Amino acid sequence: GAGVSQSPSNKVTEKGKDVELRCDPISGHTALYWYRQSLGQGLEFLIYFQGNSAPDKSGLPSDRFSAERTGGSVSTLTIQRTQQEDSAVYLCASSFDSRIGVYGYTFGSGTRLTVV
Amino acid sequence: RKEVEQDPGPFNVPEGATVAFNCTYSNSASQSFFWYRQDCRKEPKLLMSVYSSGNEDGRFTAQLNRASQYISLLIRDSKLSDSATYLCGFNQAGTALIFGKGTTLSVSS
């Protein structure tokens, strides 16, 4: 597609439920990133996929968070047993291979997650 | 020292003013540097990359000072439409960008 697509755009869930957030990157972008942004806060890195390499999971805040990327394209971020502190905007971004050049990211419009 | 620091502002300036923001980083191995713009309740959008020699795009000028480990963004002749939050980001090859918390700019008429 022309841009990074994320779904759903908004999600309200009850505490303790699992949620799945989806990201469809720009065609041809081999790198995919997940960040989250809480109200008034900066972008917090979560996880980074580059091609078929093992993902960099160093930013995941707890083992309730996981992500996968199937076929080198679409990615799903899963949050299990959601807590109120998980409420944030979850942003996905994609880029060309950052190991071989300087490439900025294109962000999707995000999923606004509210845990009640 | 924090990985990246930005003055949160807000910077309140009149139209036509020149304003500059800095962003300091702690990792001397950082290789790529960027400025992003984020409007309220929107996603960040790439404003410009920052090159070692400095670069300019219209009213916007970005500089990198490796010795002092900071990048800067200069906006000349500010417009109302420049009102936004400006995020700096940097990384090493093969790692994800680390972003600052942003500097808020408000341009008034």
Side-chain angles (χ1 to χ4, degrees):
Chain A
V4 177
S5 177
Q6 290 189 247
S7 61
S9 54
N10 283 283
K11 177 73 176 179
V12 180
T13 190
E14 291 181 353
K15 178 181 173 181
K17 294 285 179 71
D18 297 352
V19 294
E20 283 190 353
L21 312 180
R22 177 190 167 102
C23 173
D24 198 345
I26 290 173
S27 178
H29 280 187
T30 57
L32 185 148
Y33 314 83
W34 284 98
Y35 290 83
R36 73 176 176 182
Q37 189 171 35
S38 302
L39 188 63
Q41 298 299 308
L43 291 165
E44 178 188 2
F45 165 69
L46 298 176
I47 188 168
Y48 158 41
F49 295 90
Q50 175 53 62
N52 295 320
S53 302
D56 175 359
K57 304 180 183 180
S58 60
L60 294 178
S62 77
D63 58 8
R64 295 188 296 104
F65 289 72
S66 63
E68 62 177 22
R69 187 178 184 191
T70 54
S73 181
V74 172
S75 177
T76 302
L77 176 70
T78 301
I79 308 173
Q80 295 179 310
R81 305 181 301 283
T82 51
Q83 303 295 313
Q84 287 186 328
E85 60 263 28
D86 298 335
S87 297
V89 177
Y90 288 81
L91 290 157
C92 175
S94 69
S95 76
F96 292 111
D97 190 342
S98 66
R99 298 170 299 181
I100 59 174
V102 177
Y103 301 108
Y105 299 172
T106 301
F107 283 87
S109 55
T111 293
R112 186 172 299 275
L113 176 66
T114 304
V115 182
V116 297
Chain B
R1 184 179 179 182
K2 293 181 182 177
E3 262 192 298
V4 56
E5 293 193 62
Q6 288 187 260
D7 182 343
F11 284 65
N12 297 304
V13 303
E15 276 186 292
T18 295
V19 62
F21 315 130
N22 285 343
C23 169
T24 59
Y25 61 95
S26 60
N27 187 346
S28 59
S30 298
Q31 296 174 294
S32 303
F33 305 86
F34 302 90
W35 283 102
Y36 281 76
R37 170 195 169 123
Q38 186 172 27
D39 293 294
C40 188
R41 298 179 73 87
K42 296 286 189 180
E43 72 274 19
K45 292 187 177 178
L46 179 64
L47 180 64
M48 56 198 304
S49 304
V50 185
Y51 301 121
S52 296
S53 55
N55 46 301
E56 187 174 307
D57 182 1
R59 299 182 292 109
F60 298 83
T61 300
Q63 298 274 351
L64 166 63
N65 185 318
R66 284 195 184 273
S68 300
Q69 293 185 203
Y70 73 88
I71 62 174
S72 64
L73 178 68
L74 179 79
I75 305 175
R76 291 181 298 277
D77 188 23
S78 298
K79 311 291 185 189
L80 293 174
S81 57
D82 294 334
S83 297
T85 297
Y86 291 84
L87 306 170
C88 61
F90 63 93
N91 68 343
Q92 303 172 56
T95 66
L97 284 176
I98 302 298
F99 288 92
K101 291 188 176 182
T103 297
T104 299
L105 171 66
S106 178
V107 181
S108 57
S109 57

